[in-house]
Every structure is written in C-alpha cells, then in structure tokens.
Amino acid sequence: LKLPNPLSDFPKGTIAGTCLHKIIEKYDFQNDDSEKLLDLIIEELNSFQIDSSLALKVRDGILRVINVPLGNKLLNKRLIDISSNNVLKEVKYDLTLSYNGRNITTRDISKCFSLDQEFEFGAEYSNKINDLNILNKGFHSGCIDCLIPIGKNLNASKWWVIDWKSNFISGSENSDCFPENYNYLNMKEEMIKHHYPLQSHLYLLALHRLLKWRLKNYQPDIHLGGYVYIFLKGLPDIKLFENSMEKDISPGLFISPAPINRINYLDNIF
C-alpha cells in the first residue's frame, strides 16, 4: 500500500480526468489484448495532448481497475468478469427540476439524506446540502460512467452504478499518491468535498427509472444494487494486496448499497 499507483504521476485536472474516462469508455474489459489497449491509450493521450511516454503506466493502471475484486456486496466480482454484452457505459439521463408545479429547492434535496440514516452520508451531509442553494428550472442532465449487473442471471441480478474518479489524494506527510491514502475516511471526505453523495443518489434515481422501464417485475430491494466509486489513482497492486494481511475492501473503492427510501423519495420529487 506504500507503493505508488501507476497513475500517480498522471496529470491532474479536468482534461486529464476526461482522457482517462475516454480510455475506459472505449476499452472492452474482457479484451485481453494488451497491445490493443496500449494503442488505444496512445491514441487518446495524443488526442488530449498528454505525454505519450505515460502510456505503459496508464495501461498498468487500467489493468488494476478491471482486475480489482469489488468486495463482498458485489460477490467479489471484477469488471473483467462481467460479460461485455451486459456492461452499459456512458448512460445518459434527464431529470425534471420541478414537481407539483414548483421548482425543486435545496430543502427538498436535503430531506433525502435525513432518511435511511444507517446508510452513508446521513444527517451531517443533509446539512451540507444547504450550502448549494439549489433553485433551478428545467432539467438536470447527466451521464453515468458505467452500469453492471451482479448475480447468477440478469433477471435476478442487482445493478450497480460504477463511477471513475481521478482525484489525487496525498498523505499528510507527503505529496505523493499512495493507495494507503485512499482509505475509507479519506475517500469519504473527498466524496463530501465534491458532493459526490448527491451525484451518486441522482445516478441511482436514473438507474431506478431505467430498471422500472426495462426490467419485468422490477423490485428495488431486489434489483437496485448501489454505487461503486473507483478512485483510479488509489488502487494497489492486486496481487500484493491479496497477499497482505488486509482482508477488507481494496483501497480506492468506495461502495454503498442503494438506500431505497431515499431513492423513492427522490423519485417522487423529480
């Protein structure tokens, strides 16, 4: 956990983050042709005018993403285990920003996080929502990085939101980017800082509506899985992690089941 992630030297910022997103979007997780992956990486690095000498490190970083076990809640599946036919990427959605003839407000949103207090981001985050001063009209448009099913078959699977984050989290005693910096508390703080909890709940609402539309006999408590935020620069060497004394979830993964009452609440106001 004290060895840097291959992406630790990758540039910071929105453009660099978009580049990594684009590579993952275009890459078939079950394609084991590493040279083809390398060609894709070089093409995207050049497109975003990022030093192509980083290509090998980017490839190593991407291979960590698809090979990391996603924890007990996802049956320890890896992205590479999911059939390419069942992986949905870049899922766009629109949500109306009014209900019953009036606009959705900050207070409406904050109430959501006062529900399901046993889940992540409860009352404390509900108070922080008030900082956003939400009062918009029209639609909220978004795009979910990836959706995957986890289960024995599609009809019985739980569907999970996967979101890639390229955030750089340095340690208190250094400015380097080590997997040990991507522990639960540091990632939770980073999530709150950027309002990812709100983002994740809107993603789950969009997934909830998609499944209601497309899945026969849909039941949220059976089919709505939750969200997985993968911090790309925080994943350790998989073999070293598995051989270590650590038996918990890998650094760089922030995972939560879907808080059904919150999603039903949001479904009633959007």
Side-chain angles (χ1 to χ4, degrees):
L1 301 186
K2 296 182 181 295
L3 296 174
N5 178 284
L7 294 172
S8 61
D9 293 329
F10 199 77
K12 305 180 185 72
T14 303
I15 293 176
T18 301
C19 177
L20 291 175
H21 273 69
K22 189 61 67 174
I23 293 168
I24 298 173
E25 175 192 343
K26 291 184 176 182
Y27 179 52
D28 179 350
F29 300 150
Q30 291 196 315
N31 187 332
D32 60 0
D33 187 341
S34 61
E35 289 305 312
K36 189 171 182 179
L37 171 58
L38 192 60
D39 290 342
L40 168 62
I41 291 168
I42 292 172
E43 178 183 342
E44 291 302 324
L45 291 177
N46 289 333
S47 176
F48 283 87
Q49 297 183 322
I50 296 173
D51 187 357
S52 60
S53 69
L54 294 169
L56 288 175
K57 287 189 174 182
V58 173
R59 182 177 66 179
D60 291 346
I62 299 300
L63 291 177
R64 288 191 184 190
V65 171
I66 66 171
N67 282 287
V68 63
L70 297 174
N72 291 333
K73 293 184 178 68
L74 285 86
L75 307 181
N76 282 311
K77 294 289 187 181
R78 305 167 301 163
L79 290 174
I80 199 173
D81 298 326
I82 313 298
S83 169
S84 301
N85 293 330
N86 298 331
V87 175
L88 305 179
K89 295 181 181 178
E90 299 298 304
V91 180
K92 296 178 173 60
Y93 66 87
D94 294 300
L95 300 172
T96 57
L97 291 173
S98 63
Y99 74 105
N100 292 337
R102 73 178 185 84
N103 297 334
I104 293 174
T105 66
T106 306
R107 182 174 175 80
D108 295 324
I109 300 295
S110 67
K111 284 181 181 178
C112 165
F113 293 93
S114 66
L115 305 172
D116 289 329
Q117 287 298 297
E118 69 274 22
F119 287 84
E120 296 285 355
F121 310 113
E124 183 180 352
Y125 183 68
S126 176
N127 294 329
K128 188 169 178 60
I129 285 287
N130 293 321
D131 298 340
L132 292 177
N133 193 26
I134 298 168
L135 185 60
N136 294 319
K137 298 179 180 179
F139 290 87
H140 161 68
S141 298
C143 186
I144 302 170
D145 286 341
C146 187
L147 298 174
I148 61 169
I150 300 293
K152 293 182 179 179
N153 57 69
L154 281 181
N155 289 331
S157 287
K158 286 185 178 293
W159 285 82
W160 290 78
V161 168
I162 310 291
D163 196 82
W164 330 112
K165 294 300 182 191
S166 57
N167 305 48
F168 185 99
I169 301 179
S170 60
S172 57
E173 298 179 357
N174 59 69
S175 59
D176 292 323
C177 187
F178 297 110
E180 67 177 1
N181 300 337
Y182 290 78
N183 57 52
Y184 168 76
L185 290 177
N186 285 351
M187 288 189 294
K188 184 173 183 178
E189 182 179 339
E190 191 77 2
M191 295 276 290
I192 293 172
K193 176 182 176 183
H194 296 284
H195 283 291
Y196 296 156
L198 175 56
Q199 179 189 59
S200 67
H201 283 58
L202 294 178
Y203 287 170
L204 285 176
L205 172 58
L207 174 58
H208 169 66
R209 290 185 175 175
L210 176 64
L211 294 177
K212 276 201 296 185
W213 173 42
R214 297 298 299 271
L215 198 61
K216 187 177 180 180
N217 301 320
Y218 168 65
Q219 298 179 58
D221 57 329
I222 294 176
H223 299 110
L224 192 61
Y227 58 86
V228 181
Y229 275 56
I230 300 181
F231 287 82
L232 304 175
K233 296 182 177 182
L235 298 176
D237 179 277
I238 306 301
K239 290 183 178 179
L240 289 179
F241 176 73
E242 290 177 343
N243 292 333
S244 73
M245 296 300 291
E246 300 283 347
K247 297 298 181 184
D248 203 355
I249 194 73
S250 168
L253 298 179
F254 196 98
I255 299 173
S256 175
I260 302 298
N261 290 324
R262 294 182 192 173
I263 304 309
N264 284 332
Y265 170 83
L266 292 174
D267 196 26
N268 287 326
I269 69 170
F270 275 90

